[in-house]
Amino acid sequence: MSEQHDDKVRLDKWLWAARFFKTRAQAKAAIEGGKVHCRGERCKPSKEPKIGDELLIRCGFDERTVVILALSVVRRGAPEAQALYAETAESIARRELAAAQRKAGALGLSTDGRPSKKQRRELLNFRDRQEQ
């Protein structure tokens, strides 16, 4: 896994090589948007991660805490990419709990579907009365 200059790798390139994002541009945008924290602080795409650093990465609904095990600037297959980091046990438990809650519908607003024509009329009448 070690390539030339692996000791000097950019954070956005490492996130791309570790397959957290499909493109380097997406990785850069996530870092600049504050979705990636290194050692508890926001960072820049040009930051040089070190082995042992802890990253907090938010992708969609998921929030992962990973520890860097190896550095690479080359994007390879998923098994090799997963060898670059280790996700903490607490992070795995949090993600599984959040996924179970989403699946059960605990985080969202559950409805019976679209309102009927009668319910839409009642909503419109209610809004009209509020505006007056």
Side-chain angles (χ1 to χ4, degrees), residues 41-113:
E41 298 177 355
R42 283 183 71 163
C43 49
K44 293 184 177 181
S46 61
K47 177 168 180 44
E48 294 178 1
K50 310 246 183 297
I51 294 175
D53 281 358
E54 190 171 287
L55 299 176
L56 177 72
I57 305 165
R58 283 192 298 264
C59 285
F61 292 115
D62 292 335
E63 186 173 282
R64 298 172 183 242
T65 304
V66 298
V67 177
I68 298 175
L69 300 179
L71 300 174
S72 177
V73 294
V74 180
R75 186 174 171 103
R76 295 215 170 107
E80 292 181 43
Q82 289 173 350
L84 297 177
Y85 63 90
E87 189 171 1
T88 62
E90 318 159 339
S91 173
I92 293 170
R94 271 196 323 258
R95 275 192 315 112
E96 288 174 352
L97 177 66
Q101 287 178 339
R102 280 195 308 270
K103 190 173 183 180
L107 293 180
L109 183 65
S110 61
T111 63
D112 294 333

Side-chain angles (χ1 to χ4, degrees), residues 1-3 6 9-10 13-18 70-76 84:
M1 285 216 191
S2 56
E3 294 284 326
D6 270 1
V9 61
R10 292 171 52 104
K13 202 168 204 178
W14 184 87
L15 289 168
W16 168 76
L71 300 174
S72 177
V73 294
V74 180
R75 186 174 171 103
R76 295 215 170 107
L84 297 177

